């Protein structure tokens, strides 16, 4: 609210040095806060549209009253286009979301032509998530649409449906985050530690798992877990969830003993962190402990160890 008030105050003032730059800076701050809060309302859209307009005017050195504004390639402009696309996607307006995200991607590919770049990866990942949501809607909203996507439900890559397109986008995003060159050129290993790479791996794994390809999902979850274990400032909840996903996929692929080992390790971690005064954390741990004991019981039952 403080940032929004500053934005409103600045609009009424003419005594601030480099007022336009101050407005742009404030709009970025407001947008960042709305982003973190998950605000997808009209005000969030208005802020991003105002920011886009001011950025384009700034790049073209045009006065505020000039409405004949052309799109100009600039990294900040591409980021705002990305964010507008995400806002549309969050309210299930996939067509508009795709249009804005594609504009962002095209601009980033021009700006960073010929190189792998995390900004390109970020927009590819967002486009992939739109395709996942589109596929989910087709699956659940009508039986006719579900019939049309049945082939795609069987195995990722077996058809040209939205989930296959989503995986293609995720795979391309992964290459940009890792900086993998097709000709095996050397690249900066630090790219492998980019925090958004975890999101891409999780998206890939979730999509494989949704379609019963647990071996493919397991490989992605293992890689994700490895990144989290060596990363800095990683939340315990993220580590627990990643190890849980690995264990679940192990169980689904018949590697029961390794799954049991992971489940027991998780039980120890959950009980160790359960001495927390935060009620939300305690409730989350209790829910995870219930799931762990249920999964262990199911494995033991299939092995004939009914007493366990």
């Amino acid at each position: 609210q403080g940032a929004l008030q500053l934005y409103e105050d600045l609009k009424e003032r003419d005594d601030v040095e480099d007022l336009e730059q101050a407005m742009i800076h404030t709009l970025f701050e407001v947008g960042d806060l709305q982003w973190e809060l998950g605000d997808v309302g009209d005000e969030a859209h208005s802020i991003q549209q105002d920011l886009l307009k001011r950025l384009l005017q700034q790049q073209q050195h045009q006065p505020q009253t000039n409405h004949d504004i052309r799109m100009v390639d600039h990294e900040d402009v591409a980021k705002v286009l990305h964010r507008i696309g995400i806002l549309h996607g969050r309210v299930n307006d996939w067509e508009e979301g795709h249009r804005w995200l594609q504009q962002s991607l095209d601009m980033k590919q021009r700006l960073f032509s010929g190189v792998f770049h995390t900004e390109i990866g970020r927009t590819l990942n967002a486009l992939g998530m739109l395709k996942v949501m589109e596929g989910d809607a087709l699956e659940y909203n009508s039986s006719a649409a579900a019939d049309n996507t049945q082939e795609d439900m069987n195995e990722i890559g077996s058809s040209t449906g939205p989930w296959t397109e989503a995986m293609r986008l995720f795979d391309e995003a992964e290459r940009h985050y890792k900086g993998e060159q097709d000709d095996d050129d050397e690249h900066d290993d630090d790219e492998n530690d980019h925090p958004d790479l975890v999101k891409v791996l999780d998206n890939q794994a979730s999509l494989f798992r949704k379609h019963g390809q647990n071996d493919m999902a397991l490989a992605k979850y293992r890689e994700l877990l490895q990144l989290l274990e060596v990363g800095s400032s990683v939340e315990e909840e993220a580590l627990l969830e990643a190890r849980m996903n690995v264990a679940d996929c192990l169980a689904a692929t018949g590697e029961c003993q390794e799954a049991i080992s992971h489940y027991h390790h998780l039980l120890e971690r959950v009980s160790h962190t359960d001495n927390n005064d935060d009620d939300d954390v305690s409730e989350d741990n209790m829910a995870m402990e219930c799931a762990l004991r249920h999964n262990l019981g199911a494995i033991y039952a299939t092995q004939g160890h009914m007493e366990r």
Side-chain angles (χ1 to χ4, degrees):
Q1 292 299 321
L4 281 171
Q5 186 59 53
L6 177 59
Y7 166 58
E8 295 297 331
D9 291 345
L10 285 171
K11 288 196 295 186
E12 305 299 326
R13 297 179 62 176
D14 57 8
D15 60 338
V16 178
E17 185 178 355
D18 200 357
L19 177 62
E20 193 59 26
Q21 188 57 44
M23 287 292 293
I24 289 173
H25 177 75
T26 302
L27 283 167
F28 265 117
E29 286 192 340
V30 172
D32 287 344
L33 291 169
Q34 289 175 325
W35 183 266
E36 291 178 13
L37 292 170
D39 185 352
V40 296
D42 291 342
E43 187 176 55
H45 282 266
S46 176
I47 290 292
Q48 293 303 314
Q49 291 287 353
D50 190 9
L51 177 55
L52 176 62
K53 177 183 175 181
R54 291 174 185 276
L55 283 170
L56 292 174
Q57 288 173 330
Q58 183 186 62
Q59 294 303 312
Q60 296 171 49
H61 308 290
Q62 292 180 345
Q64 180 72 20
T65 56
N66 192 331
H67 296 292
D68 184 22
I69 303 174
R70 303 181 311 276
M71 196 63 70
V72 177
D73 287 355
H74 188 275
E75 188 170 352
D76 284 342
V77 173
K79 289 179 179 178
V80 175
L81 293 173
H82 174 104
R83 190 162 289 186
I84 293 173
I86 293 293
L87 287 173
H88 283 288
R90 286 182 175 179
V91 294
N92 298 331
D93 188 355
W94 302 308
E95 185 174 346
E96 273 298 285
H98 184 276
R99 185 173 71 84
W100 286 96
L101 285 169
Q102 189 62 52
Q103 284 189 75
S104 175
L105 178 62
D106 292 344
M107 185 175 291
K108 288 177 180 180
Q109 288 175 330
R110 291 192 298 269
L111 288 167
F112 309 114
S113 176
V115 299
F116 288 85
H117 199 283
T118 55
E119 276 299 322
I120 296 176
R122 179 174 291 112
T123 301
L124 286 165
N125 186 51
L127 282 165
M129 285 305 301
L130 280 186
K131 283 295 179 182
V132 169
M133 290 188 288
E134 179 186 336
D136 289 346
L138 287 174
E139 178 186 2
Y140 294 112
N141 286 352
S142 74
S143 57
D147 289 341
N148 290 335
T149 61
Q150 189 59 46
E151 183 183 2
D152 198 45
M153 281 291 293
N154 293 330
E155 184 175 342
I156 297 294
S158 65
S159 73
T160 57
W163 289 298
T164 295
E165 176 63 11
M167 187 59 75
R168 184 193 68 77
L169 290 163
F170 292 149
D171 289 345
E172 193 175 345
E174 181 185 12
R175 286 194 292 273
H176 277 276
Y177 280 115
K178 290 183 174 179
E180 292 179 344
Q181 303 279 357
D182 291 337
D183 56 3
D184 293 325
D185 287 345
E186 292 184 0
H187 61 275
D188 185 358
D189 287 336
D190 289 343
E191 290 295 307
N192 288 317
D193 298 328
H194 196 284
D196 282 355
L197 176 57
V198 170
K199 298 177 183 178
V200 177
L201 292 171
D202 187 58
N203 289 339
Q204 291 170 312
S206 297
L207 198 52
F208 278 131
R209 193 174 176 186
K210 174 183 177 66
H211 293 81
Q213 296 173 256
N214 291 297
D215 54 340
M216 302 292 288
L218 177 58
K220 293 297 181 182
Y221 279 134
R222 284 191 189 277
E223 186 178 355
L224 186 158
L225 178 60
Q226 184 178 13
L227 282 176
L228 291 176
E229 287 178 334
V230 300
S232 57
S233 339
V234 177
E235 294 183 1
E236 179 71 8
E237 181 181 354
L239 277 169
L240 293 175
E241 182 179 352
R243 190 175 288 274
M244 181 77 158
N245 286 328
V246 168
D248 289 345
C249 286
L250 284 167
T253 54
E255 300 180 50
C256 294
Q257 288 309 119
E258 189 177 354
I260 288 171
S261 176
H262 277 276
Y263 285 141
H264 279 296
H265 178 80
L266 281 165
L267 277 173
E268 292 176 8
R269 294 284 287 267
V270 169
S271 61
H272 177 72
T273 59
D274 203 31
N275 299 322
N276 196 307
D277 293 334
D278 191 329
D279 291 338
D280 291 336
V281 172
S282 296
E283 287 182 10
D284 289 342
N285 287 348
M286 185 180 298
M288 177 168 278
E289 182 176 352
C290 289
L292 289 168
R293 295 190 182 280
H294 171 89
N295 293 350
L296 280 167
I299 292 178
Y300 287 136
T302 60
Q303 293 178 331
H305 302 305
M306 299 304 178
E307 72 283 356
R308 291 189 176 181

